[in-house]
């Protein structure tokens, strides 16, 4: 059985995701709920068949890459630039307040300071994938509030890349009772930021010219298989390069690859060709998240779980709504962004 662990995990995940997703849809719930339950069912913390969590998480990364590539194909640079004065200050304000709120809750629950800070940061980051799926289901991706929401979460994706650089050194020093020099932190941050800025410049200047030309050449070959394969190679290849060479995330790399193709002659066809793969791997992403859930935590730490749920659902909604209103946005748009970010990412 172990020689077919990947196949077994993949079959179980897809079949159960379909079954529970269909039941969730019939109950007028989002299919995402069904996908998460499917993950719990094949996870290591429930009886019966146990899928390979490591395989599932790696496959889910492909889902993140393809979904963010699709977002880049639909959201143009102009869309993002037009809402910068709302998305950037609003997201930074929400993240800072949510981090303080989460860290305070962690300390109140008896966590050491280092763990409480990590908890606060993890609560402050919302999942771009979840919010994007909600916007797509309601056909709001290209609306004003949709552009603000996606840009809002892209800022969070960028901040979390920087946080991943700083946190290991910071937490290790705090655990040892030492202090981390500001020069060391700023040096690490500056280098990472410089790499990301270089990658963004390459994508928007070189990629925006080369990628459309490449896709046109592939399309002229008049082979649907080659176009699908070329699209997949482009999305995965750029995401890999972003992660291993520029210290960016897979998601950011894939998004910029899609952004470079946005508005090109065959961008709509590229989006259509990648849609089946995007949907399939997106499902695997939610199944993989469900596999990480241990139901025993509900019995062992009911107070902690209730507190975290309240902070995420109520606290983050308020922390998203208030900055939006302060920045002059409507109640409807503010409520959408507030509720849309009232969830946590895969940090």
């Amino acid at each position: 059985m172990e020689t077919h662990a990947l196949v077994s995990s993949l079959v179980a995940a897809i079949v159960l995701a379909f079954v529970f997703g269909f039941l969730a849809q019939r109950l007028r719930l989002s299919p995402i709920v069904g996908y998460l339950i499917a993950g719990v069912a094949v996870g290591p913390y429930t009886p019966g068949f146990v899928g390979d969590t490591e395989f599932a998480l790696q496959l889910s990364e492909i889902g993140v890459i393809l979904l963010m590539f699709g977002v880049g194909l639909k959201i143009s640079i102009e869309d993002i630039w037009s809402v910068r004065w709302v998305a950037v200050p609003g997201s930074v304000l929400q993240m800072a307040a949510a981090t303080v709120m989460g860290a305070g809750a962690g300390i109140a629950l008896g966590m050491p300071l280092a763990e409480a800070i990590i908890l606060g940061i993890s609560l402050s980051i919302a999942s771009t994938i979840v919010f994007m799926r909600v916007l797509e289901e309601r056909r709001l991706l290209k609306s004003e509030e949709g552009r603000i929401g996606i840009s809002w979460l892209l800022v969070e994706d960028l901040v979390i890349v920087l946080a991943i650089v700083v946190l290991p050194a910071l937490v290790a020093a705090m655990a040892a009772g030492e202090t981390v020099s500001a020069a060391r932190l700023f040096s690490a941050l500056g280098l990472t930021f410089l790499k990301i800025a270089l990658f963004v410049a390459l994508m928007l200047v070189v990629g925006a010219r080369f990628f459309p030309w490449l896709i046109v050449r592939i399309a002229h070959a008049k082979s649907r298989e080659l176009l699908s394969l070329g699209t997949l190679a482009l999305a995965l290849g750029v995401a890999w390069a972003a992660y291993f060479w520029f210290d960016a995330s897979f998601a950011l790399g894939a998004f910029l690859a899609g952004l470079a193709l946005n508005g090109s002659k065959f961008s709509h066809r590229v989006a259509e060709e990648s849609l089946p793969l995007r949907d399939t791997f997106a499902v695997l992403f939610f199944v993989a998240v469900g596999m990480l859930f241990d139901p025993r935590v509900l019995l062992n730490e009911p107070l902690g779980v209730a507190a975290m749920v309240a902070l995420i659902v109520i606290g983050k909604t308020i922390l998203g709504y208030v900055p939006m209103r302060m920045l002059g946005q409507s109640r409807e748009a503010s409520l959408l962004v507030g509720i849309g970010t009232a969830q946590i990412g895969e940090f």
Side-chain angles (χ1 to χ4, degrees):
M1 179 66 75
E2 289 188 3
T3 57
H4 300 290
L6 175 58
V7 176
S8 300
S9 300
L10 193 59
V11 170
I14 290 176
V15 170
L16 287 178
F18 166 72
V19 172
F20 287 112
F22 180 77
L23 289 175
Q25 183 77 20
R26 296 290 293 177
L27 294 172
R28 299 185 181 277
L29 298 172
S30 171
I32 293 174
V33 176
Y35 306 152
L36 292 171
I37 294 174
V40 175
V42 298
Y45 306 107
T46 52
F49 175 80
V50 176
D52 192 304
T53 306
E54 185 62 31
F55 282 147
L57 290 172
Q58 292 189 33
L59 290 173
S60 73
E61 286 283 7
I62 299 177
V64 172
I65 290 169
L66 294 177
L67 279 167
M68 292 306 296
F69 179 69
V71 174
L73 288 171
K74 295 177 181 178
I75 301 291
S76 67
I77 297 175
E78 291 75 17
D79 291 334
I80 296 172
W81 191 251
S82 66
V83 297
R84 66 191 184 281
W85 298 117
V86 177
V88 175
S91 60
V92 171
L93 183 59
Q94 186 195 41
M95 287 183 68
T99 298
V100 172
M101 178 182 68
I107 293 172
L109 291 171
M111 289 184 178
L113 181 59
E115 291 183 17
I117 291 174
I118 293 176
L119 174 65
I121 293 175
S122 67
L123 293 183
S124 73
I125 307 296
S127 173
T128 309
I129 307 303
V130 172
F131 195 20
M132 191 197 75
R133 290 301 292 264
V134 171
L135 291 174
E136 283 189 326
E137 287 177 5
R138 288 159 177 75
R139 301 186 181 183
L140 293 172
L141 194 59
K142 294 288 287 183
S143 66
E144 177 76 7
E145 51 267 36
R147 294 197 299 269
I148 292 172
I150 292 298
S151 302
W152 188 293
L153 294 182
L154 287 173
V155 173
E156 291 188 357
D157 287 338
L158 179 59
V159 172
I160 203 60
V161 171
L162 301 176
I164 288 171
V165 174
V166 173
L167 274 177
L170 189 63
V171 171
M174 291 175 67
E178 302 171 354
T179 58
V180 182
S181 67
R184 181 182 171 188
L185 287 180
F186 282 119
S187 176
L189 278 174
L191 181 60
T192 302
F193 195 81
L194 185 62
K195 287 182 178 180
I196 294 174
L198 177 60
F199 176 69
V200 172
L202 284 173
M203 287 296 100
L204 299 184
V205 177
V206 179
R209 290 170 172 78
F210 176 68
F211 293 161
W213 175 86
L214 179 63
I215 290 295
V216 169
R217 299 282 80 76
I218 296 172
H220 284 168
K222 297 181 179 179
S223 169
R224 182 175 180 181
E225 291 82 4
L226 279 177
L227 183 59
S228 298
L229 191 60
T231 299
L232 186 62
L234 183 63
L236 296 179
V238 173
W240 183 89
Y243 182 79
F244 284 97
W245 291 343
F246 295 93
D247 291 335
S249 63
F250 286 121
L252 183 61
F255 171 76
L256 289 171
L259 200 64
L261 277 175
N262 187 289
S264 64
K265 183 178 179 181
F266 289 97
S267 61
H268 291 295
R269 187 173 171 189
V270 167
E272 290 175 1
E273 292 293 338
S274 61
L275 185 60
L277 275 175
R278 276 191 284 142
D279 287 344
T280 301
F281 280 101
V283 169
L284 293 177
F285 166 81
F286 292 110
V287 172
V289 172
M291 291 176 72
L292 300 176
F293 175 64
D294 184 355
R296 291 174 298 182
V297 74
L298 298 175
L299 299 175
N300 298 334
E301 299 289 344
L303 179 61
V305 172
M308 292 305 104
V309 171
L311 290 178
I312 293 166
V313 176
I314 301 173
K316 289 192 68 178
T317 297
I318 295 171
L319 294 178
Y321 179 85
V322 172
M324 284 283 288
R325 294 292 288 164
M326 289 171 59
L327 292 166
Q329 300 302 302
S330 67
R331 289 183 179 179
E332 292 75 14
S334 301
L335 195 58
L336 177 66
V337 171
I339 294 175
T341 57
Q343 33 97 0
I344 55 173
E346 48 281 4
F347 174 76

